[in-house]
Amino acid sequence: MASEPRQHDEAGALPLVTDRRAPERRSRPYAPPGRELEFEPRTALAAAVAFCGGLVIVFIFFWALGAVDVGEAVATTSVIVLLALVWLAFHLYRSRQDESHVIRRERERRGF
Protein backbone atom coordinates (compact mmCIF):
# COMPACT_ATOMS: atom_id res chain seq x y z
CA MET A 1 0.00 0.00 0.00
CA ALA A 2 1.78 3.09 -1.23
CA SER A 3 0.53 6.51 -0.32
CA GLU A 4 1.09 9.72 -2.20
CA PRO A 5 3.18 12.39 -0.47
CA ARG A 6 1.32 15.52 0.59
CA GLN A 7 1.70 18.67 -1.42
CA HIS A 8 2.51 21.92 0.40
CA ASP A 9 0.94 25.14 -0.81
CA GLU A 10 3.30 27.43 1.08
CA ALA A 11 6.30 29.13 -0.45
CA GLY A 12 9.55 27.47 0.58
CA ALA A 13 7.91 24.11 1.20
CA LEU A 14 9.97 21.13 2.24
CA PRO A 15 11.08 18.76 -0.51
CA LEU A 16 8.92 15.71 -0.92
CA VAL A 17 10.21 12.42 0.46
CA THR A 18 8.39 9.32 -0.67
CA ASP A 19 9.71 6.98 2.02
CA ARG A 20 9.77 7.91 5.71
CA ARG A 21 12.59 5.41 6.25
CA ALA A 22 14.85 7.15 3.78
CA PRO A 23 18.38 7.86 5.09
CA GLU A 24 17.93 11.62 4.88
CA ARG A 25 14.99 11.40 7.30
CA ARG A 26 16.71 9.30 9.94
CA SER A 27 17.96 11.03 13.03
CA ARG A 28 21.37 10.30 14.46
CA PRO A 29 21.78 8.91 17.98
CA TYR A 30 21.29 11.45 20.74
CA ALA A 31 24.28 13.55 21.63
CA PRO A 32 24.17 16.84 23.52
CA PRO A 33 24.40 19.84 21.17
CA GLY A 34 27.93 20.67 20.15
CA ARG A 35 29.42 17.64 21.84
CA GLU A 36 30.21 14.32 20.22
CA LEU A 37 30.59 11.05 22.04
CA GLU A 38 34.07 10.84 23.49
CA PHE A 39 36.01 8.83 26.04
CA GLU A 40 35.91 10.34 29.52
CA PRO A 41 38.52 8.97 31.94
CA ARG A 42 36.55 10.05 35.02
CA THR A 43 33.53 8.06 33.89
CA ALA A 44 35.68 5.01 33.15
CA LEU A 45 37.34 5.29 36.57
CA ALA A 46 33.96 5.58 38.29
CA ALA A 47 32.74 2.50 36.45
CA ALA A 48 35.85 0.51 37.42
CA VAL A 49 35.53 1.48 41.08
CA ALA A 50 31.82 0.59 41.04
CA PHE A 51 32.73 -2.78 39.53
CA CYS A 52 35.22 -3.35 42.39
CA GLY A 53 32.50 -2.60 44.93
CA GLY A 54 30.10 -4.95 43.15
CA LEU A 55 32.61 -7.81 43.27
CA VAL A 56 33.06 -7.25 46.99
CA ILE A 57 29.29 -7.37 47.53
CA VAL A 58 29.00 -10.62 45.54
CA PHE A 59 31.83 -12.18 47.57
CA ILE A 60 30.19 -11.14 50.85
CA PHE A 61 26.88 -12.60 49.66
CA PHE A 62 28.39 -16.01 48.90
CA TRP A 63 30.44 -15.91 52.11
CA ALA A 64 27.26 -15.25 54.11
CA LEU A 65 25.58 -18.21 52.41
CA GLY A 66 28.51 -20.43 53.34
CA ALA A 67 29.58 -21.17 49.79
CA VAL A 68 33.03 -19.64 50.35
CA ASP A 69 35.31 -20.57 53.23
CA VAL A 70 37.54 -17.57 53.94
CA GLY A 71 40.21 -19.76 55.58
CA GLU A 72 40.61 -21.96 52.52
CA ALA A 73 40.36 -19.22 49.90
CA VAL A 74 43.12 -16.97 51.22
CA ALA A 75 44.17 -15.63 47.81
CA THR A 76 40.60 -14.80 46.82
CA THR A 77 39.91 -13.19 50.18
CA SER A 78 43.03 -11.03 49.95
CA VAL A 79 42.07 -9.86 46.44
CA ILE A 80 38.58 -9.00 47.67
CA VAL A 81 40.02 -7.07 50.62
CA LEU A 82 42.23 -5.15 48.18
CA LEU A 83 39.21 -4.36 45.97
CA ALA A 84 37.28 -3.22 49.05
CA LEU A 85 40.14 -0.90 50.01
CA VAL A 86 40.23 0.55 46.48
CA TRP A 87 36.47 1.17 46.62
CA LEU A 88 36.70 2.71 50.10
CA ALA A 89 39.59 5.00 49.14
CA PHE A 90 37.78 6.34 46.07
CA HIS A 91 34.53 6.67 48.01
CA LEU A 92 36.23 8.77 50.69
CA TYR A 93 38.03 10.85 48.07
CA ARG A 94 34.82 11.48 46.14
CA SER A 95 32.80 12.33 49.24
CA ARG A 96 35.37 14.94 50.28
CA GLN A 97 35.36 16.43 46.78
CA ASP A 98 31.55 16.62 46.68
CA GLU A 99 31.46 18.16 50.17
CA SER A 100 33.74 21.01 49.14
CA HIS A 101 31.49 21.81 46.16
CA VAL A 102 28.41 21.92 48.40
CA ILE A 103 30.11 24.32 50.81
CA ARG A 104 31.25 26.54 47.94
CA ARG A 105 27.74 26.63 46.43
CA GLU A 106 26.19 27.51 49.77
CA ARG A 107 28.66 30.39 50.24
CA GLU A 108 27.90 31.71 46.76
CA ARG A 109 24.17 31.49 47.38
CA ARG A 110 24.43 33.46 50.64
CA GLY A 111 26.72 36.07 49.10
CA PHE A 112 30.02 35.27 50.89
Side-chain angles (χ1 to χ4, degrees), residues 93-105:
Y93 173 76
R94 186 68 185 242
S95 67
R96 291 174 196 246
Q97 293 296 321
D98 289 344
E99 185 177 294
S100 67
H101 291 296
V102 170
I103 291 171
R104 192 175 310 135
R105 272 185 280 168

Side-chain angles (χ1 to χ4, degrees), residues 4-109:
E4 293 294 323
R6 292 187 198 178
Q7 297 290 333
H8 294 281
D9 295 331
E10 306 169 4
L14 297 173
L16 298 177
V17 177
T18 57
D19 186 12
R20 291 188 329 193
R21 294 173 292 175
E24 61 270 8
R25 298 216 18 155
R26 292 184 189 159
S27 62
R28 62 186 182 103
Y30 174 75
R35 183 174 174 204
E36 295 296 323
L37 298 176
E38 59 188 39
F39 177 75
E40 294 186 21
R42 290 186 63 161
T43 304
L45 182 63
V49 170
F51 187 71
C52 290
L55 288 177
V56 171
I57 296 296
V58 168
F59 180 80
I60 291 172
F61 173 76
F62 283 112
W63 175 57
L65 287 177
V68 176
D69 184 15
V70 177
E72 292 181 9
V74 176
T76 305
T77 305
S78 59
V79 168
I80 292 298
V81 168
L82 179 67
L83 291 177
L85 290 174
V86 166
W87 181 85
L88 181 64
F90 278 96
H91 175 71
L92 291 175
Y93 173 76
R94 186 68 185 242
S95 67
R96 291 174 196 246
Q97 293 296 321
D98 289 344
E99 185 177 294
S100 67
H101 291 296
V102 170
I103 291 171
R104 192 175 310 135
R105 272 185 280 168
E106 288 296 317
R107 287 183 182 165
E108 290 172 357
R109 185 176 63 91

